[in-house]
Amino acid sequence: MIDLRQQDDLRDLRPRFQLIVLVVLIVFGGLIGRLCQLQVLEGDHYARRAERNFVDVVDVEAPRGRIFDVKGRPLATNRPAYTLYFTAWTRFVVDPEEGLIATTEGERTPIDDASRDSILSLLDYVDSADRADVAELVDGLRGDESRGRYAQILRRNLSWDEYARIQARISDLDPWLEIRESSRRYYPEGELTGFVSGHMGNIAREVLERSDHLSYRPGDRVGQTGVERQWENYLRGRLGARSRVVDARRHEVATPPAEAQAALPPDRDPIPGQDIHLTLDLDLQRVAHEALARKLAGAVVALDADSGRVLAMVSVPGVDPNRYEQPIPAELWREWSESPLKPFIDKTVQEHFFPGSTYKVVSALAALSDPEFDPDHTIDCAGSVVYGGRRFKDTHVHGSVDLEQAIAQSCNTYFFDLAMRSTLTLERVEPIARALGLGERSGLGLNGEVKGTIPTEEFEAREGTYQGGVRLNSAIGQGNVKVTVMQLAVLYAAIANGGYVLTPYLVDRIETNEGKLVLRTEPQRRTAVPVIDPADRERIHRGLVGVINDERGTAYSERLRNIVVAGKTGTAQVGRETERPANAAAKIVGWDTTQDHAWFAAYAPADDPSIVVVAVVEHGGTGADAAAPIVMKVVEQYLGSTSSETGTRPRGFGVPPPLPGRDEPSDAAATGPALPGQRPGARARDGKGEAR
Amino acid sequence: MRSSLDRPDDLVSRIRRSIDWVVVVMTFSVIALALVNLNSAGRGDWTGRVATQLRWVGLGTLAMFVVTAVDYKVIYRGAYAAYAFGVGLLALVPIFGVKVKNARRWLGTDDWRLQPSELMKILVVLALARYLHDSSAKGLRGLRGLMVPAAMAILPMALVVYQPDLSTGIMIGIIAVSMLAITGLTLRSMLVLLSVAVMAFALGWSYMLNYQRKRIDVWLDPELYADKEGYQTIQAMISVGNGGFFGRGVDSGTQNVLGFLPEPFTDFPFAVYAEEWGFVGGAMLLTLYLCLVLWAINIASQARDRFGALCCVGVASMFFWHVTINIGMVLQLLPVSGITLPFISAGGSNVLTTMLALGVLMSISRSRHAR
């Protein structure tokens, strides 16, 4: 046992103790000094950095401007929706023992396989391609830290099922997922106004690259077609910003520390998009659509004859624009794009057709511009003519016809004769046709209009020599004459209003969210003076009245009881040209490509025209049978509601359209909210209907 | 100081006299701060880690006073046995240990587990103190005298590093070296020791695992790795700086409350503390530690013998290095390591060890000259 009391030992340790004390003091002094440096001298700097940690500024979507019809009924509005955001790289991992934990050194790691799979299993998919797309997006973000560290939109417009499923699992998947409130576009009328309103879609990469000054961001929704696209810049509004306190997962903190809340920068309110009020009348649109709905493919345009306001604009078949707010199954998409009915094409402006006999008014006007032409001279229609060794047929033998009767009875032979006698050369017709707005875009600006074609001799000679027979075909709207429905409507409006070619317009006015007027469209005539001589106009007009009101007229059977309508049928022969052995699978019942396109163009009332309606039914047969009834229904609806007290009442807001085959509810049964103070069908210009 | 003749001699007075109140007051001050801070780090949770820590503090307090009551001659006698017991426990760890996050460091169940490597720190101090006490009596002061103490330190170090727990292993080494430096090592021996250490480090650098080397890189320029390895370091600095002069107030530090600070319980609790208590609180805590260290050295200088002095120096160096390395790491003066801050870090074995060490200190304090 060693004696523990060797007290002398320690004296030589004294200097070392003093040394240690010195060292300890210096080291602690150093620590305190460093603490002072960080907290007192550089405290503000670190306080800013701490703020940068928890302050998160998120964009606030501006509510998109709404689209209303002429009476203020909505065509496009916004609805609240939930959007799922996904962050692939977080500072959290799933530990096999402890579950979800922060990474050891706070580093970011990509989401693990199991969590990825359970996230993918939370969503509903329309088909396997949809699922593959989402999986590809997730995996792309997993493989790319620079993008994956930020919350990216994984899914828009979550269904309630999806929402509930995600909420149930959010505790396990919290670091990666976040649901934010947003809004989705909603089109109450669906397919009825699909081509007018257009639809939304994700911004394309090229557009994004071109648009830096418009500050679009990847994943933004932009108008793809229709008014949504044409007026995108007005509808869009300006992004706002909202700052919030987030935690390390970058999720908003419900009850942040008061100091953190106080450090937030002020919010910037979004500027809502501007509301667009259209000239379109939903009642008329609905009538036109219902009338056309029994046909497979076709289009109707109704214009105000004096101003060029578009009153109705329908093309069938179409796609409900609401469909674009959700993923579309690839199979359905393929079906649509391969359909011979072309549901993506707005047949009012995006497709041109042979105008057929509706073009005869142009031929007639061209003939009248020839001083040597005598419109009262009659010719004898024998049912066909022979020119250049070919036989040009008429529908039947019309007998003796002058210009008016040739229009009323739609006699081809009369116009063949003019063409053969060089009254109707292409040189003479072409400038007249152009002056009437054919061969040029109408200026509506919607949905990528096509120009149509008005042939010249030069044009006809493009493939070898010019054949004189083309003149004959062109005179009756065949050959290479092609027009859009909208162009034809403008043309007939010009005849109706005394010769003014109008620029049709769909947007009546644009207002800010608070109702301040931003822009109002004024009717625009293309020329200051009429392009049609009043005497010529009168002659053609009499012919057009005869079409419906003369017993020999082609559309006499379609006349209305109390409204005098002037119009022209057209039966454009396309059957043989487009007949091809359709494959059995794509066969559509009732779609007979050997049938002709049926046209009807009309204006009414004949003595003081206010509306012009043009309808085309693809492969519908004859104009009088297929297209005229449609036009008549629209005319009846419009004039019945504006000029006749006993006529059909406009349908009140929210009242469903009658079932096919039934008439409008009678006055007694009408439960529609006939608003006090609002005359039924008054062409409301206030536009502040019940929808506001 | 009054003469012992004046002292009352009843039991209560004897107990009161035999307790070193400086140690007790400072210890429990730090413990109080530690519990409040752990509650903060746990976002206001008084039940989880705080309760666990409190249980260990209770156990530690008991151990502290039991050890205080023991005459340190008994400690002297039992030093080697305790050392052997500790090494034995360490040897059991690879066989029966509980594995958490790829490391097998604990004995016991998941709920009550003991980390023998922590306990080993104080046992190495005791054994080394005894050996150096004995050897100085025999007059061994040169390098040759280092062989045995080096072996005594290296054996548990190797076992600890094997777990793997490099930080604790190095800690044992540093404490041992500190003790050697105090006892009569000649200047020459110390220079040799220093150069050996430098060479060992240079050699070790090339054998260091990648993540360890990375830590040094990160330490040198954390902003370069701000989003990965440097995240912790930077967030800790931001926390400290965000505290400012008076601190953000308990439970109001955004860095901690919003979860930006990783490892707020074990490695970076001082960052939580500094954010909430500011420079005033930080300096106060550092001063408490400083006083404990200086008081330990003071007791050492007044100890009756070399064993007592060395034990005190060992305890002082244990405190000193823990505090310096942990806070130095938080303040980005040193690279990140797993060294804990006594009491403030959550960890039962560490609390128990620290309180045992303080018990030893108080036991020696009982018999020092100045009383």
Side-chain angles (χ1 to χ4, degrees), chain A residues 2 4-5 10 13-14 16 20 34 39 46 49 53-54 91 104-106 149 247-248 259, chain B residues 73 181-183 185 223 227 231-232 234-235 240 248 255 258-260 274 279 303-305 331:
Chain A
I2 289 168
L4 274 172
R5 314 228 178 265
L10 298 180
L13 292 182
R14 273 279 148 89
R16 296 218 174 178
I20 313 171
R34 173 73 172 169
Q39 297 197 295
Y46 287 107
R49 291 190 64 172
N53 268 343
F54 66 73
R91 301 186 203 279
T104 320
E105 288 174 322
R149 57 187 295 187
D247 59 16
E259 268 185 80
Chain B
K73 274 181 282 189
I182 301 302
T183 53
L185 265 191
E223 302 288 347
D227 244 344
Y231 179 77
Q232 250 181 341
I234 289 177
Q235 294 303 331
V240 172
R248 298 274 157 185
Q255 285 288 97
L258 301 177
F260 290 102
F279 177 69
R304 287 185 182 275
D305 52 44
L331 302 182

Tab-separated table of all heavy atoms in Angstrom, chain A residues 2 4-5 10 13-14 16 20 34 39 46 49 53-54 91 104-106 149 247-248 259, chain B residues 73 181-183 185 223 227 231-232 234-235 240 248 255 258-260 274 279 303-305 331:
chain	number	residue	atom	x	y	z
A	2	ILE	N	0.648	2.067	-0.961
A	2	ILE	CA	1.454	3.280	-1.063
A	2	ILE	C	0.832	4.363	-0.212
A	2	ILE	O	-0.388	4.498	-0.177
A	2	ILE	CB	1.562	3.715	-2.538
A	2	ILE	CG1	2.467	2.726	-3.263
A	2	ILE	CG2	2.063	5.128	-2.660
A	2	ILE	CD1	2.429	2.858	-4.730
A	4	LEU	N	-0.575	7.695	0.597
A	4	LEU	CA	-1.170	8.714	-0.259
A	4	LEU	C	-0.785	10.119	0.156
A	4	LEU	O	-1.177	11.077	-0.468
A	4	LEU	CB	-2.694	8.587	-0.240
A	4	LEU	CG	-3.273	7.596	-1.237
A	4	LEU	CD1	-4.748	7.420	-0.977
A	4	LEU	CD2	-3.016	8.063	-2.664
A	5	ARG	N	-0.096	10.238	1.225
A	5	ARG	CA	0.145	11.594	1.722
A	5	ARG	C	1.551	12.083	1.400
A	5	ARG	O	2.311	12.433	2.275
A	5	ARG	CB	-0.124	11.658	3.220
A	5	ARG	CG	-1.405	10.978	3.607
A	5	ARG	CD	-2.242	11.843	4.523
A	5	ARG	NE	-3.490	11.177	4.847
A	5	ARG	CZ	-4.612	11.390	4.168
A	5	ARG	NH1	-4.660	12.268	3.185
A	5	ARG	NH2	-5.707	10.762	4.494
A	10	LEU	N	3.392	17.975	-4.967
A	10	LEU	CA	2.560	18.827	-5.779
A	10	LEU	C	3.143	20.208	-6.007
A	10	LEU	O	2.665	20.934	-6.861
A	10	LEU	CB	1.186	18.951	-5.131
A	10	LEU	CG	0.476	17.602	-5.037
A	10	LEU	CD1	-0.884	17.766	-4.390
A	10	LEU	CD2	0.336	16.984	-6.425
A	13	LEU	N	4.142	20.975	-9.385
A	13	LEU	CA	3.074	21.026	-10.385
A	13	LEU	C	2.494	22.436	-10.515
A	13	LEU	O	1.785	22.735	-11.472
A	13	LEU	CB	1.955	20.051	-10.025
A	13	LEU	CG	2.317	18.572	-10.127
A	13	LEU	CD1	1.100	17.722	-9.796
A	13	LEU	CD2	2.834	18.208	-11.507
A	14	ARG	N	2.785	23.276	-9.532
A	14	ARG	CA	2.203	24.619	-9.520
A	14	ARG	C	2.312	25.373	-10.860
A	14	ARG	O	1.313	25.850	-11.393
A	14	ARG	CB	2.861	25.461	-8.408
A	14	ARG	CG	2.196	25.307	-7.062
A	14	ARG	CD	0.950	26.192	-6.973
A	14	ARG	NE	-0.061	25.590	-6.130
A	14	ARG	CZ	-0.136	25.784	-4.800
A	14	ARG	NH1	0.711	26.604	-4.200
A	14	ARG	NH2	-1.045	25.171	-4.099
A	16	ARG	N	2.710	24.310	-13.751
A	16	ARG	CA	1.874	23.682	-14.783
A	16	ARG	C	0.412	24.028	-14.571
A	16	ARG	O	-0.321	24.283	-15.538
A	16	ARG	CB	2.069	22.165	-14.753
A	16	ARG	CG	3.498	21.820	-15.104
A	16	ARG	CD	3.589	20.587	-15.940
A	16	ARG	NE	4.986	20.434	-16.344
A	16	ARG	CZ	5.427	19.426	-17.052
A	16	ARG	NH1	4.582	18.488	-17.429
A	16	ARG	NH2	6.675	19.354	-17.399
A	20	ILE	N	-1.990	25.744	-17.163
A	20	ILE	CA	-3.291	25.247	-17.628
A	20	ILE	C	-4.356	26.313	-17.451
A	20	ILE	O	-5.185	26.529	-18.329
A	20	ILE	CB	-3.778	24.021	-16.829
A	20	ILE	CG1	-2.699	22.984	-16.660
A	20	ILE	CG2	-4.971	23.380	-17.547
A	20	ILE	CD1	-3.155	21.913	-15.696
A	34	ARG	N	-15.660	34.505	-29.942
A	34	ARG	CA	-16.305	34.036	-31.167
A	34	ARG	C	-17.829	34.169	-31.055
A	34	ARG	O	-18.510	34.572	-31.999
A	34	ARG	CB	-15.906	32.572	-31.394
A	34	ARG	CG	-16.621	31.884	-32.531
A	34	ARG	CD	-16.143	32.347	-33.887
A	34	ARG	NE	-16.716	31.534	-34.950
A	34	ARG	CZ	-16.646	31.833	-36.235
A	34	ARG	NH1	-16.006	32.924	-36.624
A	34	ARG	NH2	-17.183	31.042	-37.130
A	39	GLN	N	-22.820	36.653	-32.557
A	39	GLN	CA	-24.132	37.092	-32.067
A	39	GLN	C	-24.264	38.600	-32.008
A	39	GLN	O	-25.329	39.133	-32.292
A	39	GLN	CB	-24.389	36.506	-30.678
A	39	GLN	CG	-24.453	34.995	-30.720
A	39	GLN	CD	-25.089	34.421	-29.486
A	39	GLN	OE1	-24.553	34.554	-28.402
A	39	GLN	NE2	-26.224	33.795	-29.649
A	46	TYR	N	-26.824	37.146	-39.582
A	46	TYR	CA	-27.381	35.805	-39.396
A	46	TYR	C	-28.887	35.845	-39.199
A	46	TYR	O	-29.593	34.910	-39.576
A	46	TYR	CB	-26.678	35.102	-38.229
A	46	TYR	CG	-25.286	34.681	-38.599
A	46	TYR	CD1	-24.170	35.338	-38.115
A	46	TYR	CD2	-25.097	33.631	-39.493
A	46	TYR	CE1	-22.894	34.973	-38.486
A	46	TYR	CE2	-23.824	33.244	-39.868
A	46	TYR	CZ	-22.722	33.916	-39.363
A	46	TYR	OH	-21.474	33.542	-39.749
A	49	ARG	N	-30.218	35.762	-42.514
A	49	ARG	CA	-30.136	34.410	-43.084
A	49	ARG	C	-31.175	33.486	-42.475
A	49	ARG	O	-31.724	32.634	-43.163
A	49	ARG	CB	-28.733	33.842	-42.866
A	49	ARG	CG	-27.701	34.561	-43.699
A	49	ARG	CD	-26.370	33.867	-43.694
A	49	ARG	NE	-26.447	32.538	-44.303
A	49	ARG	CZ	-25.388	31.793	-44.557
A	49	ARG	NH1	-24.183	32.245	-44.285
A	49	ARG	NH2	-25.517	30.603	-45.093
A	53	ASN	N	-34.352	31.491	-44.350
A	53	ASN	CA	-34.729	30.091	-44.157
A	53	ASN	C	-36.232	29.918	-44.090
A	53	ASN	O	-36.783	29.019	-44.706
A	53	ASN	CB	-34.142	29.578	-42.832
A	53	ASN	CG	-32.792	28.940	-43.019
A	53	ASN	OD1	-32.425	28.601	-44.139
A	53	ASN	ND2	-32.060	28.784	-41.951
A	54	PHE	N	-36.883	30.776	-43.324
A	54	PHE	CA	-38.295	30.486	-43.054
A	54	PHE	C	-39.256	31.319	-43.881
A	54	PHE	O	-40.446	31.044	-43.891
A	54	PHE	CB	-38.612	30.606	-41.553
A	54	PHE	CG	-38.508	31.986	-40.967
A	54	PHE	CD1	-39.465	32.945	-41.245
A	54	PHE	CD2	-37.467	32.316	-40.111
A	54	PHE	CE1	-39.382	34.203	-40.691
A	54	PHE	CE2	-37.371	33.577	-39.557
A	54	PHE	CZ	-38.331	34.526	-39.849
A	91	ARG	N	-34.659	16.885	-47.077
A	91	ARG	CA	-33.669	16.561	-46.054
A	91	ARG	C	-34.178	15.456	-45.142
A	91	ARG	O	-33.845	15.391	-43.980
A	91	ARG	CB	-33.362	17.808	-45.227
A	91	ARG	CG	-32.823	18.946	-46.064
A	91	ARG	CD	-32.408	20.097	-45.187
A	91	ARG	NE	-32.411	21.338	-45.930
A	91	ARG	CZ	-31.435	21.732	-46.731
A	91	ARG	NH1	-30.384	20.973	-46.897
A	91	ARG	NH2	-31.518	22.872	-47.369
A	104	THR	N	-28.849	12.706	-41.585
A	104	THR	CA	-27.861	12.884	-40.532
A	104	THR	C	-27.214	14.256	-40.576
A	104	THR	O	-27.097	14.939	-39.567
A	104	THR	CB	-26.758	11.822	-40.682
A	104	THR	OG1	-27.400	10.616	-41.042
A	104	THR	CG2	-26.011	11.657	-39.397
A	105	GLU	N	-26.791	14.662	-41.750
A	105	GLU	CA	-26.074	15.928	-41.820
A	105	GLU	C	-26.910	16.994	-42.488
A	105	GLU	O	-26.399	18.024	-42.909
A	105	GLU	CB	-24.761	15.740	-42.584
A	105	GLU	CG	-23.755	14.966	-41.768
A	105	GLU	CD	-22.510	14.640	-42.547
A	105	GLU	OE1	-22.627	14.337	-43.745
A	105	GLU	OE2	-21.416	14.695	-41.961
A	106	GLY	N	-28.195	16.751	-42.580
A	106	GLY	CA	-29.066	17.741	-43.179
A	106	GLY	C	-28.928	17.805	-44.687
A	106	GLY	O	-29.325	18.775	-45.303
A	149	ARG	N	-35.441	19.720	-55.998
A	149	ARG	CA	-35.452	20.291	-54.654
A	149	ARG	C	-36.590	21.273	-54.470
A	149	ARG	O	-36.875	21.674	-53.359
A	149	ARG	CB	-34.113	20.956	-54.372
A	149	ARG	CG	-33.769	22.008	-55.394
A	149	ARG	CD	-32.385	22.515	-55.202
A	149	ARG	NE	-32.284	23.204	-53.936
A	149	ARG	CZ	-31.209	23.870	-53.557
A	149	ARG	NH1	-30.148	23.883	-54.322
A	149	ARG	NH2	-31.180	24.496	-52.421
A	247	ASP	N	-41.411	25.683	-42.465
A	247	ASP	CA	-40.427	24.967	-41.662
A	247	ASP	C	-39.396	24.333	-42.594
A	247	ASP	O	-39.375	24.610	-43.791
A	247	ASP	CB	-41.115	23.928	-40.769
A	247	ASP	CG	-41.892	22.916	-41.595
A	247	ASP	OD1	-41.648	22.843	-42.814
A	247	ASP	OD2	-42.737	22.229	-41.019
A	248	ALA	N	-38.558	23.491	-42.011
A	248	ALA	CA	-37.455	22.940	-42.794
A	248	ALA	C	-37.967	22.091	-43.959
A	248	ALA	O	-37.269	21.904	-44.937
A	248	ALA	CB	-36.545	22.108	-41.900
A	259	GLU	N	-42.399	36.541	-33.906
A	259	GLU	CA	-41.307	37.296	-34.526
A	259	GLU	C	-41.143	36.925	-35.990
A	259	GLU	O	-40.872	37.763	-36.837
A	259	GLU	CB	-39.994	37.006	-33.791
A	259	GLU	CG	-39.705	37.972	-32.676
A	259	GLU	CD	-38.342	37.688	-32.090
A	259	GLU	OE1	-37.342	38.121	-32.689
A	259	GLU	OE2	-38.281	37.023	-31.044
B	73	LYS	N	-9.333	7.501	-0.888
B	73	LYS	CA	-8.371	6.399	-0.775
B	73	LYS	C	-8.998	5.104	-1.277
B	73	LYS	O	-8.347	4.279	-1.892
B	73	LYS	CB	-7.942	6.238	0.683
B	73	LYS	CG	-6.795	7.139	1.046
B	73	LYS	CD	-6.377	6.953	2.478
B	73	LYS	CE	-7.329	7.670	3.417
B	73	LYS	NZ	-6.863	7.707	4.825
B	181	ALA	N	0.343	15.410	-19.588
B	181	ALA	CA	1.015	16.691	-19.734
B	181	ALA	C	1.162	17.397	-18.380
B	181	ALA	O	2.110	18.132	-18.164
B	181	ALA	CB	0.228	17.566	-20.701
B	182	ILE	N	0.203	17.160	-17.498
B	182	ILE	CA	0.256	17.828	-16.194
B	182	ILE	C	1.302	17.194	-15.291
B	182	ILE	O	2.093	17.874	-14.647
B	182	ILE	CB	-1.107	17.723	-15.488
B	182	ILE	CG1	-2.188	18.365	-16.345
B	182	ILE	CG2	-1.036	18.377	-14.120
B	182	ILE	CD1	-1.917	19.788	-16.641
B	183	THR	N	1.283	15.876	-15.252
B	183	THR	CA	2.232	15.213	-14.346
B	183	THR	C	3.599	15.408	-14.903
B	183	THR	O	3.781	15.798	-16.037
B	183	THR	CB	1.951	13.716	-14.263
B	183	THR	OG1	1.925	13.235	-15.591
B	183	THR	CG2	0.671	13.454	-13.559
B	185	LEU	N	5.734	15.057	-16.903
B	185	LEU	CA	6.403	14.790	-18.178
B	185	LEU	C	7.380	15.917	-18.467
B	185	LEU	O	7.043	17.082	-18.276
B	185	LEU	CB	5.383	14.743	-19.304
B	185	LEU	CG	4.834	13.385	-19.700
B	185	LEU	CD1	4.063	13.507	-21.000
B	185	LEU	CD2	5.960	12.367	-19.846
B	223	GLU	N	-19.784	26.936	-46.803
B	223	GLU	CA	-20.722	27.495	-47.782
B	223	GLU	C	-20.675	26.716	-49.097
B	223	GLU	O	-21.651	26.656	-49.830
B	223	GLU	CB	-20.411	28.968	-48.056
B	223	GLU	CG	-20.455	29.844	-46.820
B	223	GLU	CD	-21.862	30.081	-46.295
B	223	GLU	OE1	-22.827	29.775	-47.042
B	223	GLU	OE2	-22.006	30.548	-45.160
B	227	ASP	N	-25.641	22.938	-49.102
B	227	ASP	CA	-26.868	22.169	-49.213
B	227	ASP	C	-26.705	20.718	-48.826
B	227	ASP	O	-27.655	19.970	-48.788
B	227	ASP	CB	-27.388	22.247	-50.650
B	227	ASP	CG	-28.714	22.958	-50.672
B	227	ASP	OD1	-29.297	23.082	-49.591
B	227	ASP	OD2	-29.126	23.373	-51.755
B	231	TYR	N	-24.627	21.794	-44.439
B	231	TYR	CA	-25.931	22.332	-44.014
B	231	TYR	C	-26.003	22.509	-42.506
B	231	TYR	O	-26.343	23.564	-41.998
B	231	TYR	CB	-27.024	21.385	-44.490
B	231	TYR	CG	-28.425	21.783	-44.106
B	231	TYR	CD1	-29.087	22.798	-44.789
B	231	TYR	CD2	-29.088	21.145	-43.064
B	231	TYR	CE1	-30.364	23.163	-44.446
B	231	TYR	CE2	-30.370	21.505	-42.710
B	231	TYR	CZ	-31.007	22.506	-43.400
B	231	TYR	OH	-32.272	22.859	-43.053
B	232	GLN	N	-25.636	21.413	-41.796
B	232	GLN	CA	-25.638	21.437	-40.336
B	232	GLN	C	-24.844	22.594	-39.774
B	232	GLN	O	-25.333	23.375	-38.958
B	232	GLN	CB	-24.945	20.163	-39.869
B	232	GLN	CG	-25.831	19.176	-39.238
B	232	GLN	CD	-25.030	17.973	-38.809
B	232	GLN	OE1	-23.920	17.731	-39.281
B	232	GLN	NE2	-25.591	17.212	-37.906
B	234	ILE	N	-23.724	25.282	-41.145
B	234	ILE	CA	-24.211	26.622	-41.460
B	234	ILE	C	-25.464	26.943	-40.673
B	234	ILE	O	-25.607	28.030	-40.108
B	234	ILE	CB	-24.465	26.728	-42.980
B	234	ILE	CG1	-23.121	26.732	-43.689
B	234	ILE	CG2	-25.256	27.972	-43.308
B	234	ILE	CD1	-23.234	26.768	-45.175
B	235	GLN	N	-26.369	25.974	-40.608
B	235	GLN	CA	-27.600	26.233	-39.858
B	235	GLN	C	-27.292	26.486	-38.386
B	235	GLN	O	-27.954	27.315	-37.747
B	235	GLN	CB	-28.577	25.064	-40.010
B	235	GLN	CG	-29.107	24.871	-41.417
B	235	GLN	CD	-29.803	26.102	-41.968
B	235	GLN	OE1	-30.361	26.900	-41.234
B	235	GLN	NE2	-29.732	26.281	-43.271
B	240	VAL	N	-26.938	30.421	-33.956
B	240	VAL	CA	-26.189	31.169	-32.953
B	240	VAL	C	-26.299	32.658	-33.243
B	240	VAL	O	-26.664	33.466	-32.375
B	240	VAL	CB	-24.714	30.724	-32.942
B	240	VAL	CG1	-23.896	31.631	-32.035
B	240	VAL	CG2	-24.613	29.285	-32.494
B	248	ARG	N	-33.539	35.093	-28.634
B	248	ARG	CA	-34.906	35.192	-29.148
B	248	ARG	C	-35.930	34.815	-28.091
B	248	ARG	O	-37.126	34.916	-28.314
B	248	ARG	CB	-35.077	34.262	-30.342
B	248	ARG	CG	-34.191	34.610	-31.506
B	248	ARG	CD	-34.847	35.658	-32.392
B	248	ARG	NE	-33.820	36.360	-33.162
B	248	ARG	CZ	-34.075	37.389	-33.953
B	248	ARG	NH1	-35.310	37.851	-34.049
B	248	ARG	NH2	-33.122	37.981	-34.599
B	255	GLN	N	-34.938	29.092	-35.903
B	255	GLN	CA	-34.117	28.014	-36.438
B	255	GLN	C	-34.481	26.688	-35.794
B	255	GLN	O	-34.582	25.670	-36.448
B	255	GLN	CB	-32.632	28.313	-36.177
B	255	GLN	CG	-32.057	29.362	-37.069
B	255	GLN	CD	-31.890	28.845	-38.472
B	255	GLN	OE1	-32.727	29.064	-39.332
B	255	GLN	NE2	-30.810	28.132	-38.731
B	258	LEU	N	-38.660	25.879	-36.125
B	258	LEU	CA	-39.095	25.493	-37.467
B	258	LEU	C	-38.281	24.342	-38.041
B	258	LEU	O	-38.414	23.986	-39.197
B	258	LEU	CB	-39.045	26.704	-38.399
B	258	LEU	CG	-39.902	27.882	-37.956
B	258	LEU	CD1	-39.733	29.053	-38.891
B	258	LEU	CD2	-41.363	27.480	-37.885
B	259	GLY	N	-37.406	23.788	-37.214
B	259	GLY	CA	-36.738	22.553	-37.606
B	259	GLY	C	-35.572	22.705	-38.560
B	259	GLY	O	-35.208	21.761	-39.245
B	260	PHE	N	-34.978	23.890	-38.618
B	260	PHE	CA	-33.855	24.054	-39.541
B	260	PHE	C	-32.558	23.501	-38.965
B	260	PHE	O	-31.590	23.322	-39.682
B	260	PHE	CB	-33.668	25.529	-39.901
B	260	PHE	CG	-34.768	26.048	-40.773
B	260	PHE	CD1	-35.786	26.813	-40.251
B	260	PHE	CD2	-34.803	25.723	-42.113
B	260	PHE	CE1	-36.812	27.256	-41.049
B	260	PHE	CE2	-35.832	26.161	-42.918
B	260	PHE	CZ	-36.835	26.929	-42.397
B	274	ALA	N	-28.018	28.979	-27.724
B	274	ALA	CA	-27.496	30.302	-28.083
B	274	ALA	C	-28.539	31.135	-28.806
B	274	ALA	O	-28.593	32.351	-28.646
B	274	ALA	CB	-26.248	30.157	-28.954
B	279	PHE	N	-26.269	36.143	-26.613
B	279	PHE	CA	-24.889	36.247	-26.148
B	279	PHE	C	-24.843	36.239	-24.627
B	279	PHE	O	-23.961	35.638	-24.012
B	279	PHE	CB	-24.264	37.531	-26.699
B	279	PHE	CG	-22.860	37.757	-26.198
B	279	PHE	CD1	-21.830	36.926	-26.611
B	279	PHE	CD2	-22.586	38.775	-25.306
B	279	PHE	CE1	-20.543	37.128	-26.145
B	279	PHE	CE2	-21.302	38.976	-24.835
B	279	PHE	CZ	-20.279	38.150	-25.260
B	303	ALA	N	-4.918	19.485	-3.665
B	303	ALA	CA	-5.080	18.082	-3.287
B	303	ALA	C	-3.934	17.659	-2.395
B	303	ALA	O	-2.842	18.228	-2.429
B	303	ALA	CB	-5.135	17.218	-4.540
B	304	ARG	N	-4.244	16.628	-1.633
B	304	ARG	CA	-3.223	16.175	-0.684
B	304	ARG	C	-2.136	15.361	-1.363
B	304	ARG	O	-1.058	15.220	-0.828
B	304	ARG	CB	-3.873	15.298	0.388
B	304	ARG	CG	-4.685	16.122	1.344
B	304	ARG	CD	-5.209	15.248	2.464
B	304	ARG	NE	-6.030	16.066	3.349
B	304	ARG	CZ	-5.519	16.791	4.333
B	304	ARG	NH1	-4.240	16.796	4.563
B	304	ARG	NH2	-6.324	17.522	5.080
B	305	ASP	N	-2.443	14.812	-2.513
B	305	ASP	CA	-1.435	13.975	-3.171
B	305	ASP	C	-1.624	14.010	-4.677
B	305	ASP	O	-2.546	14.618	-5.204
B	305	ASP	CB	-1.535	12.537	-2.666
B	305	ASP	CG	-2.943	12.028	-2.780
B	305	ASP	OD1	-3.571	12.262	-3.844
B	305	ASP	OD2	-3.438	11.428	-1.803
B	331	LEU	N	-19.610	26.787	-33.139
B	331	LEU	CA	-19.184	28.121	-33.584
B	331	LEU	C	-18.270	28.037	-34.795
B	331	LEU	O	-17.654	29.015	-35.182
B	331	LEU	CB	-18.468	28.852	-32.442
B	331	LEU	CG	-19.293	29.028	-31.173
B	331	LEU	CD1	-18.496	29.808	-30.133
B	331	LEU	CD2	-20.599	29.741	-31.461
